[in-house]
Amino acid sequence: MIDLIATAESVAQAEELLAAGVDTLYIGEEEFGLRLAHSFSREEQRALIELAHAQGKKVNIAVNGIMHTDKMKKIPEYLAFLAEVQPDNVVVGDTGVIYLLQEYDLPYIYDAETLVTNARQINFWQKRGAVGAVLAREVPFEEMQRLIQQVTVPVEILVYGATCIHQSKRPLLDNYFNYTKQTEDVSKERGLFISEPKKPETHYSIYEDLHGTHVFADNDLNLINELSELNQTGYQTWKLDGLFTPGEDFVAIAKIFVSAKKAIEANAWNEAAAKTAQQEIQKYHPVGRGMDTGFYHLDPTAIK
């Protein structure tokens, strides 16, 4: 069965996403999770886990931050809380956190961002308790076809949303504004972007938070036309990321993917349906943010 995962920016939106047919919520708190649409309080996390479970749905909690020593001191208390409220999975990339997970009844999904690019790495972590893995966004479909034949746990694919291409622990924006003697807002809500020299058409979103500076690809990912191919190949864990698609627009896009999922499972999905869905997604996608298929259709030998 296809598992459709979606981020949430509020309790209200999470409720709407569940009602729309999303299978799994992806939430967490900023202290430990990377690039979340919202930082949920402990009470909110508990409430959403209870709500999802009452509906036969799931919740994955992001614990995939870059953990320095000071952050690692705080992790046991958070893991103890999660062991109490029992999310379905925690999403982890730091080996130190995985080591600590041995003391708690918490299944984990391995997510090391751009590092998850081959089956042997996924199988290594599967043998050490991982129940799934998040594939790097930079893996072309040609490589994905070979990889899926060699793994025994579900592999998550981003099918809609922004792709982070760089993270630095350093406050690069603050450093820049301090150097130029400016006081500016560097949060995601500010909507800052950077361009390549002499390429004004490039538009890389950038912001700072507790984890440092994050830079995103020019265009957001949209694999609505590739869903049937992904399903047939064996990729049935799909994620929607609403980091830059707020409110009702993201819920509307989630509904489109839910409908596509149902049609695919009923063998009723075709080229015309995919074209219509693509047009509908464009209506709700943020103005000024492009969409493409990322690395999906690239020849692996052509990537430099």
Side-chain angles (χ1 to χ4, degrees), residues 112-186:
E113 301 288 328
T114 57
L115 299 179
V116 187
T117 57
N118 62 80
R120 287 189 175 181
Q121 185 185 31
I122 293 173
N123 291 337
F124 175 91
W125 289 108
Q126 183 270 329
K127 291 178 181 178
R128 286 153 183 82
V131 298
V134 179
L135 192 65
R137 316 309 187 202
E138 295 79 7
V139 179
F141 182 65
E142 184 178 324
E143 292 186 4
M144 291 168 61
Q145 289 177 290
R146 296 192 293 269
L147 184 149
I148 198 66
Q149 299 173 19
Q150 303 171 47
V151 298
T152 58
V153 294
V155 178
E156 179 189 301
I157 303 297
L158 181 70
V159 296
Y160 173 82
T163 298
C164 183
I165 59 174
H166 176 74
Q167 178 186 351
S168 173
K169 184 69 175 176
R170 294 177 293 171
L172 300 179
L173 287 172
D174 270 336
N175 290 345
Y176 169 77
F177 287 126
N178 288 337
Y179 179 76
T180 57
K181 296 180 171 58
Q182 300 178 72
T183 302
E184 297 286 348
D185 178 13
V186 297

Side-chain angles (χ1 to χ4, degrees), residues 5-55:
I5 304 169
T7 62
E9 67 175 24
S10 67
V11 171
Q13 189 192 58
E15 293 172 346
E16 292 181 14
L17 289 166
L18 291 174
V22 165
D23 302 295
T24 303
L25 295 175
Y26 181 88
I27 63 172
E29 56 185 77
E30 186 180 352
E31 180 80 15
F32 306 110
L34 288 178
R35 294 178 287 278
L36 298 170
H38 176 70
S39 184
F40 288 87
S41 70
R42 301 287 172 90
E43 292 74 17
E44 289 172 329
Q45 292 173 63
R46 182 192 301 271
L48 285 176
I49 291 169
E50 293 175 352
L51 175 67
H53 288 175
Q55 299 180 28

Side-chain angles (χ1 to χ4, degrees), residues 286-300:
V287 175
R289 297 192 68 84
M291 284 190 296
D292 59 26
T293 56
F295 284 74
Y296 189 90
H297 292 291
L298 293 183
D299 177 354

Side-chain angles (χ1 to χ4, degrees), residues 4 31 36-37 54 67 80 92 117 127 135 149 172 175 196 216 232 236 247 262-263 276 291 303:
L4 191 60
E31 180 80 15
L36 298 170
M67 307 297 182
V92 183
T117 57
K127 291 178 181 178
L135 192 65
Q149 299 173 19
L172 300 179
N175 290 345
E196 295 182 43
F216 296 82
Q232 292 173 2
Q236 296 182 311
K262 291 179 179 178
T276 299
M291 284 190 296
I303 299 174

Side-chain angles (χ1 to χ4, degrees), residues 33 79-80 82 137 139 141 179 193 202 206 227 235 257 263 272 304:
L79 294 182
L82 293 178
R137 316 309 187 202
V139 179
F141 182 65
Y179 179 76
F193 68 92
T202 56
I206 182 171
L227 294 184
Y235 289 96
F257 277 90
K304 299 180 180 179

